[in-house]
Amino acid sequence: MHRPGVGACLSAAEEAGIHNLRLFCHDAVEVLEQMIPDESIDTLQLFFPDPWHKSRHHKRRIVQPAFVQMLRPKLKQGGLFHMATDWQNYAEHMLEVMSQAEGFENTSEFGDYVPRPDQRPLTKFERRGHRLGHGVWDLIFKRIA
Ligand SMILES: C[S@@+](CC[C@H](N)C(=O)[O-])C[C@H]1O[C@@H](n2cnc3c(N)ncnc32)[C@H](O)[C@@H]1O
């Protein structure tokens, strides 16, 4: 939904000669619900979603039980849902929602977070977080039903 980000991504894709990319400048929830077929996704990546720091705004967070059950059938069986956040309270919220979500299994050997996977790109947003001394938490859950 951040138009300058969409423009920067298109420009970087052109420079890199990437042609198998499709961008939507639209609400990701509606795109997932209405434009993505069931059983079509190998890995869904949700990196640094807005954390909504204040308790009274937590209900606005995208990771919620209903969202997670809407996206589950979009994943292939065995497909992954990878989340990252630099806000500890949101990481704990993600862990709680996902641990209770039907049809998912945590891939973390300790039942919580996973080490930063190499394939996750370092964005401007994350670099800024590092400068401010923020931690980062990665969670990867697998669709098992
Ligand atoms: C904290 S930024 C992180 C951006 C990027 N993922 C990164 O790691 O650098 C959160 C982004 O999510 C976008 N966003 C929030 N809700 C959205 C939604 N429902 N659909 C699509 N984008 C959304 C915002 O516009 C913002 O650009």
Side-chain angles (χ1 to χ4, degrees):
M1 296 218 287
H2 180 60
R3 289 178 67 85
V6 171
C9 187
L10 283 170
S11 152
E14 186 178 16
E15 231 167 75
I18 291 171
H19 300 291
N20 61 347
L21 178 73
R22 183 177 293 180
L23 292 180
F24 295 88
C25 194
H26 194 77
D27 180 352
V29 178
E30 285 185 10
V31 171
L32 256 181
E33 265 173 352
Q34 296 173 30
M35 304 185 75
I36 306 295
D38 284 354
E39 314 267 342
S40 67
I41 299 178
D42 289 301
T43 301
L44 185 78
Q45 301 175 322
L46 179 68
F47 296 159
F48 305 99
D50 293 325
W52 296 104
H53 302 118
K54 294 181 183 156
S55 303
R56 69 172 189 278
H57 291 154
H58 284 181
K59 55 183 179 298
R60 298 186 190 174
R61 289 173 167 174
I62 193 168
V63 179
Q64 302 290 354
F67 172 73
V68 164
Q69 290 310 326
M70 180 276 288
L71 75 82
R72 176 159 65 113
K74 309 292 179 185
L75 291 168
K76 294 178 184 171
Q77 290 291 342
L80 302 176
F81 178 33
H82 178 185
M83 291 150 275
T85 180
D86 68 343
W87 189 250
Q88 185 170 5
N89 176 271
Y90 200 6
E92 288 163 359
H93 170 92
M94 289 168 170
L95 184 59
E96 191 181 322
V97 169
M98 290 308 301
S99 299
Q100 289 169 11
E102 192 185 334
F104 284 97
E105 178 182 270
N106 196 344
T107 66
S108 157
E109 63 176 309
F110 307 111
D112 50 15
Y113 308 104
V114 295
R116 184 188 205 290
D118 288 340
Q119 77 271 18
R120 185 161 64 69
L122 184 63
T123 63
K124 217 189 283 180
F125 179 82
E126 185 177 6
R127 222 175 282 133
R128 181 177 150 271
H130 287 175
R131 276 203 305 275
L132 297 172
H134 295 182
V136 175
W137 292 263
D138 283 273
L139 300 92
I140 302 184
F141 280 74
K142 185 196 276 192
R143 179 181 177 192
I144 52 164

